[in-house]
Amino acid sequence: MGNTIFSKIINKEIPAEIVYESKNVLAFRDINPQAPTHILIIPKIEIPTVKELNGKDHAPLLGEMIDAANIIARNENISESGFRLVFNCGDHGGQEVYHLHMHLLGGRQMKWPPG
Ligand code: 5GP
């Protein structure tokens, strides 16, 4: 079941620094952080990309991921200063791991546009 590195993290087959876990969602620190706080928030079910999402079926799951982001941002003390949430999708989006994930980045001033 599952064929990405994130499935192995969900199944606790490889270690990760988990900062939040609920029935449907897991969040852990990115192994190659791009900001003082860089956390990946993922669904426990296998969804490869944003393209497989639709509002009818996935609104509750996406809501849970946003709730997780807000809880973690408060825990990391970056809620007041602000943060960035990012979904990379596909090749041009810069997606490397094909298990849906939302990046939570904070703890420094972000630039725009992104590279
Ligand atoms: P993407 O480029 O697909 O949007 O982001 C994938 C992210 O997963 C990257 O930021 C990368 O550093 C992170 N990553 C890849 N492999 C691992 C791993 O084994 N453990 C953790 N914690 N993060 C990983």
Side-chain angles (χ1 to χ4, degrees):
M1 209 185 72
N3 51 15
T4 73
I5 196 90
F6 291 175
S7 298
K8 293 189 171 63
I9 290 173
I10 292 165
N11 295 327
K12 312 280 161 70
E13 289 163 17
I14 64 164
E17 195 182 338
I18 292 168
V19 296
Y20 176 91
E21 182 162 15
S22 67
K23 183 167 169 278
N24 300 314
V25 171
L26 186 70
F28 50 89
R29 292 192 196 283
D30 196 294
I31 205 166
N32 183 22
Q34 301 301 311
T37 294
H38 186 173
I39 287 160
L40 302 171
I41 300 168
I42 72 172
K44 289 185 177 177
I45 57 165
E46 198 78 22
I47 300 171
T49 80
V50 167
K51 287 188 286 186
E52 283 74 46
L53 295 175
N54 66 76
K56 181 173 160 285
D57 295 325
H58 301 108
L61 179 63
L62 289 168
E64 282 190 50
M65 291 171 71
I66 296 291
D67 286 348
N70 276 316
I71 291 166
I72 296 161
R74 286 195 289 272
N75 290 345
E76 297 281 317
N77 288 314
I78 58 170
S79 188
E80 286 299 313
S81 50
F83 51 87
R84 184 171 288 176
L85 298 175
V86 176
F87 285 97
N88 293 327
C89 181
D91 190 19
H92 278 193
Q95 185 172 3
E96 288 172 5
V97 178
Y98 280 76
H99 181 120
L100 187 75
H101 51 282
M102 183 167 70
H103 295 258
L104 167 61
L105 296 141
R108 67 167 170 85
Q109 180 62 54
M110 297 294 153
K111 299 185 183 78
W112 194 264

